[in-house]
Amino acid sequence: MNPILKKLGLTGEHQGAGTGEWMECSGEILESVSPVDGKVIGKIRCAKKGDYGQVVACAEHAFKTWRMMPAPKRGEIVRQIGDALRKHKQDLGALVSLEVGKIRAEGQGEVQEMIDIADFAVGQSRMLCGLTMHSERPEHRMYEQWHPLGPVGVITAFNFPVAVWAWNAMIAMIAGDTVVWKPSSKAPLSAIATMNIVWDVLKKNALPEGILNVVIGDRKEVGEAFIRDRRIPLISATGSVRMGRHIAEVVGARLGKTILELGGNNAVIVTANADMNMAVRAIVFGAVGTAGQRCTTTRRIIVQETVKEKLLQGLVKAYQQIPIGNPLEDNILMGPLIDRQVVDTMQKALAEIKAQGGKILFGGEVLSGGVFDAGTYVKPCICEVGPYLPIIREETFAPVLYIISYKTLDDAIKYHNDVPQGLSSAIFTSDIREAETFLSHRGSDCGIANVNIGTSGAEIGGAFGGEKDTGGGREAGSDAWKAYMRRQTCTINWSKELPLAQGIRFNVS
């Protein structure tokens, strides 16, 4: 990995704050530890509150210039950023795999998502449209327009260490906003490498520092100052429900805006009319991808009781064949969990499943020996449970799959919706009535509902996000740009009269 780290500008000790150039920070040393082998791959000098203040001041200053650049011109800068990411796709993808444990294909895929959202944003830069409305007053014109919002804050989680930043940053940029990024402390090197790539584009275009910014630091030292800062009108945050509730409360208290992408507890309904081979492939990909550490991971299977055994046989057979190991090696389909703490959380959840009456049908063991000595590798797990076990209402961020049987489709939808989260959902069926019922007002209560497609793998062309404890925010999609702008209604009187509301006459002699 050393040549790759060098090409990405990751040599020596790194600074945890920058605005286009790296600042000298004064905080504690943060070590980036790879879950692949438990070794330290980089050290970062964290930002302190004062360092954070300088970053936001620079973002605020740059906003005054950036907002006045025509949106299509901003789109051209984003296009160049996408091209720069293309050139570094292999190296940056490998770094993502090393730092968070994704298999190589997923690491590459995450960088491709950055490229895709850049392409998408370029098109959006020419589509920031307002409406023209008919005024009730004669010889008046009324219309709405959208203005840049200001410096936007983006808080990302370890499981998508760079893509989620891009989903927000590329759209925010074409909207005319500057961006301040607080990445996960479990994936700081991926953020630093990304900044090195995109800053080079900004410099080549002679743009001021402060358009794209990063600050790495302690939650209490930097995070709290970040979400309380009135100079940041919008905070977009991805993470746990607990974190999201706190951010919503703090930002809401200052009447700021939030985009929250929080917990997922995603289910697939498998009916008696399903293509079983297709369902098995989708479930395995959704449950085991990223070692069960996606917000869209498939966590619950709600299967019609007459086909439960057939589905189980297919799933167990597939699980037995999943190659687990170093995610950078070829043919590996599942890498490690992010750290040993998550492994412990998974083991406690499995014990709780048994205590509540569930059965572990396959897997769940912590692996050891050789490459597994890092203590972060596990076998993905399949459990059979009842529909109302308390544990299945929680999101265990690990490869634990629950199997629940049902009699009628109404029962299945009831079980499906009976969790606090509402992100992604799917049904496998060849019956159009079952499919349309699932998509109807009395069907899935999630922000994403799929038919004969699994719960993970959302496209950037569709709005991404969910309901209930998932937070209600949306990223990407046709009108996502509106969240990063402020709406303004304008009325122009081109007559020689001044008609007043409610027909009031107000004459001044």
Side-chain angles (χ1 to χ4, degrees), residues 250-312:
V250 172
V251 177
R254 61 177 176 84
L255 301 182
K257 299 171 65 176
T258 57
I259 299 173
L260 299 176
E261 300 290 354
L262 311 176
N265 194 349
N266 314 295
V268 173
I269 295 175
V270 181
T271 78
N273 298 300
D275 180 322
M276 206 59 64
N277 291 329
M278 183 187 292
V280 167
R281 292 200 306 273
I283 291 166
V284 174
F285 175 78
V288 175
T290 321
Q293 298 171 115
R294 292 186 181 196
C295 52
T296 54
T297 290
T298 303
R299 306 204 181 278
R300 297 176 295 139
I301 303 302
I302 304 167
V303 57
Q304 215 285 326
E305 59 185 11
T306 61
V307 294
K308 184 185 76 171
E309 290 306 319
K310 183 178 181 181
L311 179 68
L312 275 174

Side-chain angles (χ1 to χ4, degrees), residues 6 10 13 41 97 117 128 182 221 251 257 322 353 386 431 492:
K6 186 175 182 180
L10 299 176
E13 182 180 293
I41 56 175
S97 294
I117 195 66
L128 308 181
K182 185 181 183 302
E221 179 75 23
V251 177
K257 299 171 65 176
I322 294 170
I353 290 167
D431 186 321
I492 300 170

